[in-house]
Amino acid sequence: MPAGPDQGAPPAPATGGNPPAPGTPAPAVPAPVTQPPGPAPVVDGGGLDSPRLKDIAQQLVSSAENSSLDWRAQYTYIEDIHDGRGYTGGIIGFTSGTNDMLQLVRHYRALKPDNVLARYIPALEKVDGSASHAGLDPSFVADWHRAAQDPVFQKAQDDERDRVYFDPAVGQAKADGLRALGQFMYYDALVMHGPGSDRLSFGGIRAAALGKAKPPSQGGDETAFLNAFLDARRAAMKADPSHQDTGRIDTFQRVFLKAGNLTLATPLRWTVYGDSYTIRS
């Protein structure tokens, strides 16, 4: 069983991107620390879309987004973290200010027209692109918690996570010849920075990395390319006032890369935002 953080901490900022409308393909893409000694890794050469590694990926993202490895507990999560994106909620940090929460609730309505969140769609349309709660308060948070108990809403969150973030990230990483660690790096970047081609979005970060190193699909060295990708992502985070803490790179993903763990073989040990985590198997 995975061990949780050594000390509790407030949830780290979770941000959604500005994804494409439902029904359209999501874009094909968004101090040195060393891995502590331990048992020999269990080698797993599968892709991140294998069931086991996908679950590990969700735990890894949840450690940074919600200070917990229990990613399924985050269906009910929602709050305004005051990052200019309105409400942040759910397993991937869908936000009312960046369109993906609106798309999620529309998808929920498509799956189950008579649901507790459907009535908020007009308000979500109006606040899209802003930090406003107009038309959402005072009952939206309570109704989100109610909806989160519904397996259909949980499925809607899974569907939108995969359509907008997970599937495009893994697909692009595989096209670049990257193994599970690189696929996860792409996924985590797409979750935080969103799709797009500007320098602070996933596409711009990847383009900056391509300007420094070749991916394996072009005959390049995988580790060198992933270092270039993390360097580019770190620069993008530093250029964004809401992402100044780069622990997600420095004490987390760079740890696995320095250890040469390109397949995300377990056990995995890392620290992010001051909390320590372990996934043993």
Side-chain angles (χ1 to χ4, degrees), residues 235-272:
M237 291 174 72
K238 283 297 188 182
D240 184 340
S242 66
H243 293 147
Q244 291 298 294
D245 188 333
T246 58
R248 204 158 175 154
I249 302 299
D250 305 332
T251 64
F252 182 178
Q253 295 176 43
R254 194 87 74 176
V255 172
F256 302 154
L257 187 58
K258 284 181 178 291
N261 192 352
L262 298 174
T263 62
L264 283 180
T266 53
L268 296 169
R269 300 182 183 90
W270 72 101
T271 300
V272 63

Side-chain angles (χ1 to χ4, degrees), residues 131-224:
S132 173
H133 294 182
L136 299 175
D137 292 340
S139 55
F140 181 65
V141 168
D143 284 339
W144 180 284
H145 291 317
R146 288 176 59 198
Q149 307 310 310
D150 181 2
V152 179
F153 186 49
Q154 295 175 14
K155 176 181 175 0
Q157 290 195 37
D158 292 346
D159 289 348
E160 287 298 284
R161 172 202 62 203
D162 290 351
R163 182 184 72 86
V164 180
Y165 300 108
F166 188 83
D167 291 348
V170 172
Q172 182 62 70
K174 286 185 175 182
D176 286 342
L178 304 176
R179 286 176 278 179
L181 177 58
Q183 292 168 30
F184 172 73
M185 288 180 180
Y186 275 24
Y187 174 46
D188 189 67
L190 192 52
V191 167
M192 173 174 275
H193 300 277
S197 58
D198 65 276
R199 68 188 183 93
L200 299 185
S201 295
F202 172 80
I205 293 170
R206 177 174 171 270
L210 290 169
K212 297 292 185 181
K214 290 182 179 180
S217 62
Q218 298 178 22
D221 178 78
E222 187 171 8
T223 297

